[in-house]
């Protein structure tokens, strides 16, 4: 019996000792990652060394970039996978919300790409954007990367429990984020002031957590960590010589409070890894390789300590996600939260997602980009809930609280001369989805444009246009009597129309038009009997026209100017039904005109741009003003005026025309182009000339230089034709309008 009790006593002591060893050998490790913008790339290098040393991370807390890296790691990514993400992501493009042109609404492709400056107006005062970027691209990227955990709203349920810090902009206090939508939380934590707009969560406006707590040691300790490893990528305060940019000054201000608490936080850490970040800043995104090298060096300096920590843990194989996996699914339902002035049809139409269609996350992101490109939303958050019979797409939108905008533009060319553009745009004035835009163009030729447009998504949209256009040019008229005359051309056009758009590429519309054209000259000529006695002007037309219009447009160009890829089609039909008939000879007739273009770039530098356009007259037109007038260089020709390099404005005239051009454009420096164009045209009553289509074909050539600037295109072009002895220089600057 004594032997039994002795054995039992020894067994209990051994069991107690074994339990203590097991407990001691399975310590929980918490990892704290500080903020620091691009310097946060060092976190990935440190994580790779931690994995190599065998350290099992049980809890992660981070702020700003530390929250982004930490949140992705907590969601199941390995350090090597995070390394791949960094190497394949263009962070500059992501940060500036640089959306592809294909995402823009068709209306904006036509009318919106002519302004240099766009300033919001709120409460009668000119406002400024809250940041350089709304952060939509960042949110899209984070949502796509965390789609495998998008149904987890409690961050303690992630593969690694996670917490991050943001700053409440109203109270100035820290906000601990451990629940909610993971991409939104880590975006709020990383919303660096002036670079990324604040994020609203549960009614609270939040910005970069580094303002209040850039190193959340206490929060990780509270999660249950026995050992805490801190990675500090902060580089300390700068001296006055180094404070030479707005970003550095702002970072210095943010750092005042931050660095005061760092010494206290270090006391709570078991191990500190501090890469040398002195030569880098928060926007050093082009230095990823060098930053990660510093992170690797700093972690390896404490490799033995990391190995010792790993030796006190029980290890198991972690399941990591496959970055190359493409998940396909179908959407059975779309829920929308936050819409006010924009209808469900508008939002779903812009998304361009069809129910029960097999799609992937790339298609969803493309739809989100379409909504963002409307500039009507501060952000669009999406969440896909996978169910057995399909997926539910939950959208949370926040409409912009500014609906009035002042826009400015400027331009010079040889036809319209100097022009200053003032625009006022207002949204949701009379109805949901509507927009009013008014252009006043001051300068050598006074003009205006007025547009009212109700965009109904995939339903028929409604529009009203009004425009006054005029120019003055020396134009060849009748060589037997006058070589050239100075022509004053005035056009007043009003349209009402319906339009529908397919996939932002195809626009089809039809409507009615009232047009008044007045064309006259004060040039002295031998045609004095045709000059009005009361004005002394030779008047060619002063008539009102009532027309029916229809059009088909396709635009997939990647850029409005200096296109590198894409195609373009514009088919326009105009039926002149009735006229006040100034010349007493009007007969109803129609114009059918079309233009097609295609651009493709080889070797990233050499672009070939093909353009062909043609027009015919259906019926009999005896009004020369409404003939096709071919010649000149430009982008803003109206009515029947057609550009043709090598000939002056309206040098060729007829009731039909055919023009084809090929342009070679070489980008010898970023946004600097050498360009050469050859174009050929036939103008007359019989385009096909009984099969002799090359007979009497006119030719013209152009060579020049182009520069793509924030003001718009700047071009110097020299044109000539072997058909005559004249040559021309053309200069233009700014967006065409």
């Amino acid at each position: 019996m004594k032997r039994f009790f002795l054995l039992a006593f020894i067994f209990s002591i051994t069991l107690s000792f074994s339990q203590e060893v097991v407990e001691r050998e399975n310590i929980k490790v918490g990892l704290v990652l500080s903020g620091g913008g691009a310097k946060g790339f060092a976190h990935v290098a440190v994580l790779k060394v931690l994995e190599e040393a065998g350290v099992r991370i049980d809890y992660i807390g981070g702020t700003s970039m530390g929250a982004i890296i930490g949140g992705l790691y907590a969601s199941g990514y390995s350090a090597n996978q995070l390394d791949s993400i960094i190497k394949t992501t263009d962070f500059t493009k992501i940060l500036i919300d640089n959306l592809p042109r294909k995402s823009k609404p068709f209306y904006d492709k036509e009318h919106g790409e002519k302004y240099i400056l766009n300033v919001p107006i709120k409460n009668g005062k000119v406002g400024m954007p809250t940041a350089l970027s709304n952060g939509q691209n960042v949110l899209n990227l984070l949502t796509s990367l965390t789609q495998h955990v998008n149904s987890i709203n409690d961050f303690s349920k992630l593969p690694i429990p996670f917490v991050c810090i943001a700053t409440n902009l109203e109270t100035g206090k820290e906000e601990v984020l451990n629940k909610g939508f993971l991409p939104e939380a880590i975006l709020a934590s990383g919303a660096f002031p002036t670079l990324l707009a604040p994020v609203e969560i549960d009614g609270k406006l939040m910005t970069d957590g580094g303002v209040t707590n850039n190193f959340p040691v206490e929060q990780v300790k509270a999660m249950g960590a026995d050992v805490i490893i801190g990675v500090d990528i902060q580089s300390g305060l700068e001296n006055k010589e180094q404070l030479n940019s707005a970003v550095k000054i702002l970072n210095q201000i943010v750092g005042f409070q931050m660095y005061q608490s760092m010494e206290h936080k270090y006391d709570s850490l078991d191990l500190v890894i501090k890469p040398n970040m002195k030569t880098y800043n928060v926007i050093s995104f082009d230095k990823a390789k060098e930053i990660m090298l510093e992170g690797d060096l700093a972690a390896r300096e404490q490799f033995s300590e990391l190995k010792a920590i790993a030796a006190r843990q029980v290890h198991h194989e972690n399941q990591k996600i496959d970055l190359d996996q493409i998940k396909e699914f179908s959407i059975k339902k779309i829920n929308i939260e936050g819409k006010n002035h924009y209808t469900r049809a508008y939002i779903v139409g812009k998304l361009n997602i069809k129910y029960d269609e097999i799609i992937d996350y790339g298609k969803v992101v493309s739809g989100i980009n379409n909504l963002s490109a409307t500039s009507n939303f501060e952000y669009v958050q999406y969440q896909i809930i996978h169910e057995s019979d399909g997926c539910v797409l939950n959208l949370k939108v926040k409409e912009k609280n500014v609906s009035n905008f002042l826009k400015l533009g400027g331009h010079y060319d040889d036809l319209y001369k100097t022009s200053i553009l003032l625009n006022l745009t207002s949204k949701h004035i009379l109805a949901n989805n509507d927009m009013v835009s008014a252009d006043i163009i001051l300068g050598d030729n006074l003009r205006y444009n007025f547009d009212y447009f109700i965009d109904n998504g995939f339903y028929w949209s409604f529009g009203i246009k009004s425009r006054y256009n005029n120019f003055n040019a020396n134009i060849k008229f009748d060589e037997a009597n006058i070589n050239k005359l100075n022509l004053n051309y005035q056009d007043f056009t009003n349209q009402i129309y319906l339009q529908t758009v397919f996939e932002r590429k195809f626009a089809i519309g039809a409507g009615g038009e009232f047009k008044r054209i007045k064309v006259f000259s004060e040039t002295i000529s031998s045609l004095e009997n045709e000059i009005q006695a009361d004005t002394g002007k030779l008047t060619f037309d002063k008539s009102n026209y009532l027309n029916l219009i229809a059009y088909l447009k396709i635009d997939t160009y990647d850029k409005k100017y200096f296109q590198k890829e894409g195609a373009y089609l514009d088919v326009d039909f105009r039926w002149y039904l009735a006229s006040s008939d100034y010349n007493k000879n009007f007969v109803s007739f129609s114009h059918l005109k079309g233009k097609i273009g295609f651009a493709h770039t080889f070797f990233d530098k050499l672009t070939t741009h093909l353009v062909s356009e043609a027009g015919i007259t259906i019926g009999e037109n005896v009004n020369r003003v409404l003939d096709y007038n071919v010649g000149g260089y430009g982008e803003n020709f109206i009515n029947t005026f057609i550009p043709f390099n090598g000939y002056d404005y309206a040098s060729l005239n007829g009731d039909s025309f055919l023009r084809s051009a090929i342009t070679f454009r070489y980008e010898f420096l970023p946004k600097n182009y050498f360009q050469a164009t050859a174009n050929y045209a036939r103008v007359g009553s019989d385009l096909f000339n009984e099969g002799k289509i090359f007979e009497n074909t006119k030719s013209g050539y152009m060579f020049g230089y182009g520069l793509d600037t924030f003001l718009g295109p700047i071009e110097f072009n020299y044109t000539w034709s072997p058909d005559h002895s004249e040559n021309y220089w053309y200069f233009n600057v700014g967006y065409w309008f």
Side-chain angles (χ1 to χ4, degrees):
M1 182 65 69
K2 290 182 179 179
R3 181 178 296 177
F4 173 77
F5 283 111
L6 179 61
L7 289 173
F9 177 72
I10 293 172
F11 177 76
S12 64
I13 293 176
T14 303
L15 180 61
S16 177
F17 179 77
S18 299
Q19 289 175 340
E20 183 181 343
V21 170
V22 169
E23 290 174 2
R24 180 170 57 83
E25 295 299 330
N26 194 25
I27 59 172
K28 302 292 186 180
V29 175
L31 179 65
V32 183
L33 305 177
S34 78
K39 294 181 290 184
F41 294 152
H43 290 319
V44 176
V46 172
L47 285 168
K48 293 173 75 172
V49 176
L50 292 177
E51 289 182 355
E52 184 182 336
V55 177
R56 188 194 73 233
I57 305 301
D58 299 290
Y59 308 102
I60 298 180
T63 298
S64 197
M65 186 59 111
I68 295 174
I69 300 298
L72 293 176
Y73 194 75
S75 74
Y77 283 86
S78 70
N80 282 331
Q81 288 171 326
L82 293 178
D83 181 87
S84 297
I85 292 171
I86 288 174
K87 290 178 179 177
T88 56
T89 301
D90 186 341
F91 286 92
T92 301
K93 181 182 289 187
I94 292 292
L95 281 173
I96 63 175
D97 278 344
N98 188 13
L99 296 172
R101 185 172 182 265
K102 67 179 182 180
S103 298
K104 291 184 177 181
F106 205 94
Y107 180 90
D108 286 350
K109 289 182 182 180
E110 270 200 295
H111 305 285
E113 297 176 307
K114 57 186 177 182
Y115 305 109
I116 300 170
L117 188 63
N118 185 349
V119 180
I121 300 175
K122 188 175 182 180
N123 299 325
K125 298 180 180 179
V126 174
M128 294 297 292
T130 57
L132 292 176
S133 167
N134 283 335
Q136 186 65 57
N137 276 351
V138 180
L139 183 60
N140 287 351
L141 176 64
L142 295 174
T143 303
S144 179
L145 292 174
T146 59
Q147 34 119 340
H148 57 290
V149 293
N150 67 2
S151 61
I152 298 177
N153 296 319
D154 183 348
F155 301 164
S156 68
K157 306 298 184 184
L158 291 168
I160 302 175
F162 171 71
V163 66
C164 63
I165 305 297
T167 299
N168 189 314
L169 259 180
E170 289 184 285
T171 66
K173 296 180 180 180
E174 72 175 49
E175 295 283 347
V176 179
L177 304 178
N178 51 22
K179 289 182 172 62
F181 187 54
L182 181 61
E184 186 178 53
I186 57 184
L187 175 61
S189 181
F192 189 84
T194 72
L195 288 182
L196 290 173
V199 178
E200 186 175 332
I201 301 178
D202 297 331
K204 299 177 181 178
L205 196 60
M206 301 190 191
T207 190
D208 196 318
V211 176
T212 51
N213 186 355
N214 202 41
F215 211 37
V217 178
E218 298 86 353
Q219 286 73 20
V220 173
K221 190 173 184 178
M223 296 172 78
D226 302 309
V227 172
I228 300 180
I229 300 171
V231 185
D232 181 13
I233 57 171
Q234 301 164 107
S235 52
L237 296 173
E238 307 276 8
N239 58 45
K240 63 180 181 180
E241 287 77 16
Q242 295 171 316
L243 295 172
N244 53 14
S245 72
V247 172
K248 286 187 176 181
I249 292 172
L250 183 59
N251 203 41
Q252 184 91 337
I253 295 171
V254 170
F256 290 153
Q257 179 179 341
M258 180 193 311
Y259 293 117
Q260 289 178 359
S261 62
M262 286 308 297
E263 186 175 343
H264 168 70
K265 291 179 180 291
Y266 274 22
D267 293 339
S268 302
L269 296 174
D270 295 278
L271 185 66
V272 179
I273 299 174
K274 188 170 177 58
N276 181 7
M277 296 285 109
K278 281 292 185 182
T279 57
Y280 308 105
N281 58 50
V282 294
I283 56 173
S284 297
F285 294 105
D286 58 335
K287 303 293 184 182
K289 183 177 180 180
E290 295 87 342
I291 291 172
M292 293 179 70
L293 178 60
E294 293 292 346
D296 181 81
L297 292 173
R300 292 193 181 281
E301 287 178 358
Q302 305 193 60
F303 196 76
S304 58
E305 289 85 347
L306 294 173
K307 292 285 289 184
I309 293 173
R312 300 168 61 192
Q313 295 180 296
V314 174
H315 299 280
H316 53 81
E317 188 70 25
N318 291 328
Q319 290 185 344
K320 299 298 179 182
I321 63 173
D322 182 4
L323 284 179
D324 296 325
Q325 181 181 3
I326 299 176
K327 293 185 177 181
E328 294 186 335
F329 48 85
S330 62
I331 300 295
K332 67 174 183 179
K333 185 179 180 181
I334 299 176
N335 297 320
I336 303 173
E337 176 187 345
K339 62 182 177 66
N340 184 19
H341 295 107
Y342 297 95
T343 63
R344 177 182 177 85
Y346 176 89
I347 293 173
V348 174
K350 298 299 179 186
L351 279 175
N352 192 34
I353 294 176
K354 299 179 177 63
Y355 292 113
D356 299 323
E357 176 188 10
I358 301 300
I359 60 174
D360 57 25
Y361 273 86
K363 175 76 170 178
V364 176
V365 171
S366 177
I368 300 301
N369 286 343
N370 298 341
L371 277 172
S372 300
T374 65
S375 301
N376 294 325
F377 303 94
E378 288 190 14
Y379 67 82
V380 181
Q381 175 186 303
Y382 73 94
Q383 188 175 21
I384 298 175
I385 306 300
H386 295 269
E387 297 180 355
S388 58
D389 58 341
C391 295
V392 177
L393 174 60
N394 292 325
L395 285 181
K396 180 182 177 183
V397 302
K398 183 181 179 182
E399 297 180 4
K400 288 188 175 179
N401 58 4
V402 177
S403 58
N404 299 309
F405 302 86
L406 176 65
K407 303 179 183 182
L408 303 175
H411 182 79
Y412 174 84
D413 67 79
D414 295 282
L415 181 61
Y416 288 99
K417 307 303 180 183
T418 303
S419 302
I420 301 297
L421 170 62
L422 304 177
N423 170 273
L424 181 63
T425 296
S426 295
K427 299 183 178 182
H428 39 82
I429 296 296
L430 302 177
N432 288 331
N433 311 339
D434 76 351
M435 184 274 303
V436 175
S437 174
D439 289 338
I440 298 295
I441 303 169
L442 307 175
D444 293 297
N445 294 280
L446 182 66
R447 293 173 281 156
Y448 85 81
N449 295 291
F450 174 85
D451 284 275
Y452 177 75
F453 189 66
I454 301 177
D455 190 341
N456 289 321
F458 47 67
Y459 297 112
W460 282 94
S461 300
F462 171 77
I464 297 174
K465 292 177 181 288
S466 180
R467 180 194 69 188
Y468 174 74
N469 196 304
N470 82 97
F471 61 84
N472 188 281
N474 292 318
I475 292 178
K476 283 189 175 181
F477 180 72
D478 181 0
E479 292 188 358
N481 298 287
I482 313 169
N483 186 22
K484 281 188 177 183
L485 57 78
N486 185 265
L487 191 72
N488 190 299
Y489 190 102
Q490 299 176 5
D491 174 272
F492 176 56
T493 297
N494 300 274
Q495 296 177 348
I496 183 169
Y497 63 96
L498 296 175
Q499 174 180 292
T500 187
V501 176
F502 302 95
E503 297 188 353
R504 307 168 318 284
K505 300 176 184 178
F506 304 83
I508 300 174
E513 176 183 76
F514 170 79
K515 181 185 289 289
R516 176 174 176 80
I517 296 177
K518 182 179 180 181
V519 183
F520 63 90
S521 175
E522 296 178 348
T523 301
I524 302 301
S525 75
S526 60
L527 305 178
E528 294 181 357
N529 59 316
E530 297 184 23
I531 297 178
Q532 288 180 301
D534 56 337
T535 65
K537 297 177 181 178
L538 175 61
T539 301
F540 298 100
D541 196 8
K542 192 171 64 173
S543 302
N544 302 324
Y545 296 92
L546 185 63
N547 311 323
L548 292 179
I549 59 171
Y551 58 85
L552 165 65
K553 298 181 180 182
I554 300 173
D555 187 352
T556 66
Y557 279 150
D558 61 332
K559 301 169 66 177
K560 180 77 170 181
Y561 306 102
F562 304 118
Q563 303 89 347
K564 290 191 173 183
E565 299 291 341
Y568 180 84
L569 175 68
D570 184 359
V571 179
D572 179 88
F573 175 77
R574 180 170 278 98
W575 185 1
Y576 291 84
L577 292 173
S579 172
S580 60
D581 198 11
Y582 172 80
N583 292 309
K584 309 300 182 185
N585 57 1
F586 176 80
V587 178
S588 179
F589 69 97
S590 302
H591 275 156
L592 178 62
K593 183 174 64 174
K595 179 179 180 179
I596 187 169
F598 175 77
H600 182 67
T601 298
F602 303 90
F603 316 114
D604 296 325
K605 296 292 183 182
L606 180 62
T607 300
T608 301
H609 191 188
L610 299 171
V611 175
S612 186
E613 52 188 323
I616 60 173
T617 300
I618 303 171
E620 183 182 5
N621 168 38
V622 295
N623 186 348
R624 176 171 175 176
V625 169
L626 297 179
D627 273 349
Y628 294 106
N629 299 284
V630 180
Y633 175 75
E635 296 278 348
N636 195 34
F637 286 70
I638 64 170
N639 293 341
T640 55
F641 286 83
I642 310 297
F644 185 59
N645 303 324
Y647 280 76
D648 204 358
Y649 296 105
S651 295
L652 304 173
N653 179 272
D655 59 8
S656 61
F657 80 96
L658 174 63
R659 170 187 176 261
S660 295
I662 180 169
T663 297
F664 296 98
R665 188 181 302 118
Y666 181 74
E667 188 175 12
F668 64 96
L669 290 173
K671 298 187 177 182
N672 287 262
Y673 304 90
F674 287 132
Q675 49 195 12
T677 299
N679 61 177
Y680 306 90
R682 286 181 52 80
V683 182
S685 58
D686 182 9
L687 286 183
F688 299 102
N689 195 27
E690 298 179 349
K692 302 174 183 178
I693 59 176
F694 296 106
E695 187 177 276
N696 198 30
T697 294
K698 308 298 182 182
S699 63
Y701 304 90
M702 182 179 74
F703 180 79
Y705 163 77
L707 176 64
D708 194 359
T709 75
F710 76 97
L711 296 172
I714 298 176
E715 295 180 279
F716 299 88
N717 291 300
Y718 173 74
T719 72
W720 74 97
S721 171
D723 304 331
H724 54 75
S725 60
E726 297 177 338
N727 51 67
Y728 308 95
W729 283 96
Y730 293 109
F731 168 70
N732 63 273
V733 57
Y735 297 110
W736 293 86
F737 50 77

